[in-house]
Amino acid sequence: EPEVTQTPSHQVTQMGQEVILRCVPISNHLYFYWYRQILGQKVEFLVSFYNNEISEKSEIFDDQFSVERPDGSNFTLKIRSTKLEDSAMYFCASRFPGQGGNEQYFGPGTRLTVT
Amino acid sequence: QKEVEQNSGPLSVPEGAIASLNCTYSDRGSQSFFWYRQYSGKSPELIMFIYSNGDKEDGRFTAQLNKASQYVSLLIRDSQPSDSATYLCAVLPNTGNQFYFGTGTSLTVIP
């Protein structure tokens, strides 16, 4: 069964460094998402991406964040200058929209630790 | 502001009982409703989705949707200890691509 994959599973970085989190969505899906979940807190929407551009973004998704679909399979989230408060699980998700079908599937996540 | 509300729990039920999880949403134009299960340290796993008023059953799970009351629920029959997890309600409005998540309800099934 197709699934969303993410790499790396765990990333440790120093404050101020840039990180790139990678995702491979399900192959025929058209909408892509990034979410964040700080330990013990709710899943927070960051951004949605469709047709090679950002569709919606939250207040969390400021100028430090960017997304890209560099080729036909990968979807990346870049954090330019990490802060301690960026430490969280980051989940990628994808969906194939259609009549009666809007199911969104999550990847396993990348745990980002900023020291 | 589109809000999704869930009782955070914790909800405890004995093994074999029915667990009932509830969710309300504010955007009357919402069209699609989802239940995710999230084990500690893992990603949300889609377990049910419902698009029409009424009940939808899948194995031990039943999703119930009442658009007039802006209410969606998840029933878990014959609860098992392996059902112990946080259950997230998510809503996709009629316009836009953003899913709105509740804070989740923590369920513990006691053997």
Side-chain angles (χ1 to χ4, degrees):
Chain A
E1 185 171 317
E3 58 184 22
V4 178
T5 60
Q6 291 185 244
T7 55
S9 57
H10 190 190
Q11 174 93 44
V12 180
T13 190
Q14 289 190 325
M15 195 167 51
Q17 294 297 304
E18 174 184 286
V19 294
I20 297 176
L21 310 182
R22 290 182 167 79
C23 168
V24 179
I26 295 173
S27 61
N28 65 339
H29 283 192
L30 301 179
Y31 288 83
F32 314 118
Y33 301 82
W34 283 103
Y35 294 88
R36 180 180 80 176
Q37 189 174 35
I38 296 169
L39 187 62
Q41 297 188 24
K42 68 177 292 184
V43 172
E44 299 176 291
F45 168 78
L46 293 178
V47 66
S48 63
F49 192 86
Y50 172 69
N51 200 25
N52 284 318
E53 61 182 22
I54 290 174
S55 176
E56 293 172 78
K57 61 181 181 179
S58 71
E59 292 178 353
I60 302 169
F61 194 89
D62 60 22
D63 292 343
Q64 293 296 317
F65 291 89
S66 63
V67 289
E68 193 178 35
R69 186 153 165 85
D71 53 41
S73 59
N74 290 283
F75 179 51
T76 63
L77 174 69
K78 181 192 290 187
I79 309 175
R80 288 188 181 80
S81 178
T82 50
K83 302 187 282 283
L84 293 175
E85 54 264 38
D86 292 328
S87 295
M89 283 291 287
Y90 288 80
F91 297 112
C92 175
S94 70
R95 74 179 176 106
F96 179 79
Q99 189 70 17
N102 284 311
E103 299 90 79
Q104 174 185 230
Y105 296 92
F106 281 75
T110 292
R111 180 173 299 283
L112 177 64
T113 302
V114 183
T115 62
Chain B
Q1 183 73 356
K2 296 170 184 171
E3 309 220 338
V4 177
E5 301 281 345
Q6 294 182 254
N7 188 331
S8 62
L11 173 67
S12 294
V13 299
E15 184 174 355
I18 295 175
S20 178
L21 305 159
N22 303 314
C23 173
T24 59
Y25 58 95
S26 63
D27 182 9
R28 186 170 290 278
S30 297
Q31 60 170 343
S32 306
F33 306 87
F34 307 87
W35 284 99
Y36 289 85
R37 178 176 61 199
Q38 187 177 28
Y39 293 114
S40 180
K42 300 296 185 182
S43 65
E45 174 192 6
L46 181 64
I47 55 172
M48 286 291 287
F49 54 91
I50 185 166
Y51 303 131
S52 303
N53 270 329
D55 294 1
K56 178 183 177 183
E57 187 175 315
D58 184 2
R60 296 187 296 113
F61 299 102
T62 298
Q64 299 175 316
L65 175 60
N66 183 327
K67 288 186 178 179
S69 301
Q70 296 173 235
Y71 176 94
V72 57
S73 65
L74 178 70
L75 301 178
I76 306 174
R77 290 182 300 282
D78 188 23
S79 295
Q80 301 297 308
S82 58
D83 294 328
S84 298
T86 296
Y87 289 80
L88 307 175
C89 174
V91 175
L92 180 66
N94 196 38
T95 58
N97 303 312
Q98 181 179 344
F99 287 71
Y100 292 83
F101 280 79
T103 54
T105 298
S106 175
L107 172 67
T108 300
V109 180
I110 303 166

